[in-house]
Amino acid sequence: MTATTIALLRTKPAQFEPAAVRTALREWAFNKNQRAAAPGDVAVILKWVERNSLPVSAWEEPDKVDEVLRALDTLLDGRQAAAWSRKRHRRILNVAMKHSIRRRILRANPLPKGKETTAATKTTNAVDKRSLVNPMQAAALLDWIRLRPRGGKRLHAFFATLYYCGPRPEEAVAMRVEDVTLPDPDSGDQWCELLIHTATPEVGKQWTDTGKIHEERDLRGRAEGETRTVPGHPALTRLLWRHIEDEELRPGDLLFQGERGSVLAGSVIRRAWRSARQAVLTAHVFESPTG
């Protein structure tokens, strides 16, 4: 919506920094919880944007519609955005158009329809094999994380679960101890089972009704309330037994916690994994999609 709004301005905001305009729109204008509390300098920018925005009739001009779509498909540095980003941006804009029609602001959806909308945004769900690590690389990465001075053992259990069972990080951080079924240590079958039913993605506290950084949601791409079970390798079973005992976790506790018992932060996860890749992989492999 920020890119669309800027593309529909009569003139470029020469008197304001471009980043300041984007921030004012993203963090204040489009956030209903923050809009009324916009500070003075932000309010000045938003008033200017309001005065310099084209009327709704601009959507009836095909050239202007094409200009907006080009803005959505282009990064700030002029390069083309990734296919998934382009597809998502157009999908969101289509939702806005349908809302405008229901409110009788527009008479019809001005966006291109049919093959014309998807020809430039083909995407694939296939896994890029270049991103897969081999067993030796995985062992080295996990071992480096385990030896990390700060929270290494907790993160080791977390990344091992991602490696062996493949949940999304937002799903793994939402798991409770009671969601893991571990066999008895003396049992002949040492495979464990993970029940995945909730995701807690990081959306930023300014975008949640609770004021928390994470928001609790159903699993992505599945029906509301749907769950899935995933088998866990015996190596993961041993690791999770030790993790639960070392952390003295109880059934209702988060399986993977931050330092103060809260949800494991995405910044910690990303920083640890990047450091591990940089330390373990050779320079040309680090620069590749591997891992």
Side-chain angles (χ1 to χ4, degrees):
M1 301 310 296
T2 299
T4 299
T5 302
I6 292 175
L8 290 172
L9 292 175
R10 288 190 178 88
T11 58
K12 298 297 181 184
Q15 66 272 49
F16 305 114
E17 287 291 331
V21 177
R22 292 194 300 273
T23 300
L25 290 169
R26 184 182 65 248
E27 302 294 334
W28 302 93
F30 299 142
N31 188 330
K32 66 181 182 67
N33 296 329
Q34 301 286 340
R35 195 175 298 150
D41 56 336
V42 172
V44 169
I45 294 174
L46 296 182
K47 281 291 184 183
W48 183 91
V49 170
E50 187 177 353
R51 291 194 306 270
N52 285 273
S53 292
L54 293 171
V56 175
S57 58
W59 287 107
E60 298 177 0
E61 302 174 21
D63 289 346
K64 182 56 67 175
V65 174
D66 290 343
E67 187 179 331
V68 171
L69 293 178
R70 280 196 298 272
L72 293 179
D73 292 347
T74 308
L75 300 175
L76 294 176
D77 61 6
R79 292 181 296 121
Q80 188 179 58
W84 274 112
S85 295
R86 304 200 305 274
K87 195 172 186 178
R88 184 177 69 251
H89 293 164
R90 293 188 181 216
R91 186 169 62 241
I92 293 170
L93 190 56
N94 257 304
V95 172
M97 295 296 105
K98 291 176 182 177
H99 177 74
S100 299
I101 293 168
R102 285 199 304 271
R103 291 296 189 93
R104 299 184 179 181
I105 298 170
L106 290 174
R107 289 175 293 182
N109 190 335
L111 301 181
K113 298 174 180 64
K115 291 183 178 180
E116 190 178 352
T117 62
T118 57
T121 54
K122 291 182 179 179
T123 57
T124 177
N125 289 319
V127 173
D128 185 349
K129 290 185 178 181
R130 296 176 302 164
S131 68
L132 302 179
V133 294
N134 63 43
M136 291 182 63
Q137 289 170 329
L141 288 164
L142 290 173
D143 196 48
W144 189 93
I145 288 172
R146 182 178 61 84
L147 298 175
R148 193 171 181 260
R150 189 171 177 179
K153 290 184 178 180
R154 287 196 305 272
L155 287 169
H156 177 242
F158 170 79
F159 282 112
T161 300
L162 298 190
Y163 174 66
Y164 282 111
C165 297
R168 291 183 172 91
E170 65 195 40
E171 297 170 343
V173 297
M175 290 179 60
R176 304 273 172 179
V177 176
E178 59 194 14
D179 297 328
V180 182
T181 302
L182 296 172
D184 187 88
D186 299 325
S187 171
D189 183 0
Q190 284 298 299
W191 283 78
C192 63
E193 186 175 83
L194 276 58
L195 175 64
I196 300 174
H197 55 81
T198 306
T200 52
E202 271 189 357
V203 295
K205 60 183 179 181
Q206 71 271 35
W207 297 105
T208 60
D209 293 333
T210 61
K212 296 180 179 179
I213 295 175
H214 296 81
E215 184 174 69
E216 191 168 301
R217 298 178 182 174
D218 290 307
L219 302 184
R220 186 185 299 180
R222 290 178 179 257
E224 184 176 347
E226 187 176 353
T227 67
R228 76 174 189 270
T229 54
V230 184
H233 191 276
L236 180 63
T237 299
R238 294 190 295 271
L239 199 154
L240 290 179
W241 266 123
R242 188 164 60 249
H243 169 70
I244 292 170
E245 289 177 355
D246 290 347
E247 297 293 319
E248 299 179 352
L249 300 177
R250 291 174 290 186
D253 293 340
L254 287 170
L255 183 61
F256 307 115
Q257 303 178 359
E259 289 186 340
R260 299 179 181 177
S262 57
V263 179
L264 188 59
S267 58
V268 174
I269 295 168
R270 292 187 293 272
R271 187 163 57 245
W273 187 248
R274 178 177 174 82
S275 297
R277 289 184 71 251
Q278 196 164 26
V280 170
L281 304 178
T282 57
H284 76 279
V285 178
F286 173 73
E287 296 297 334
S288 77
T290 302

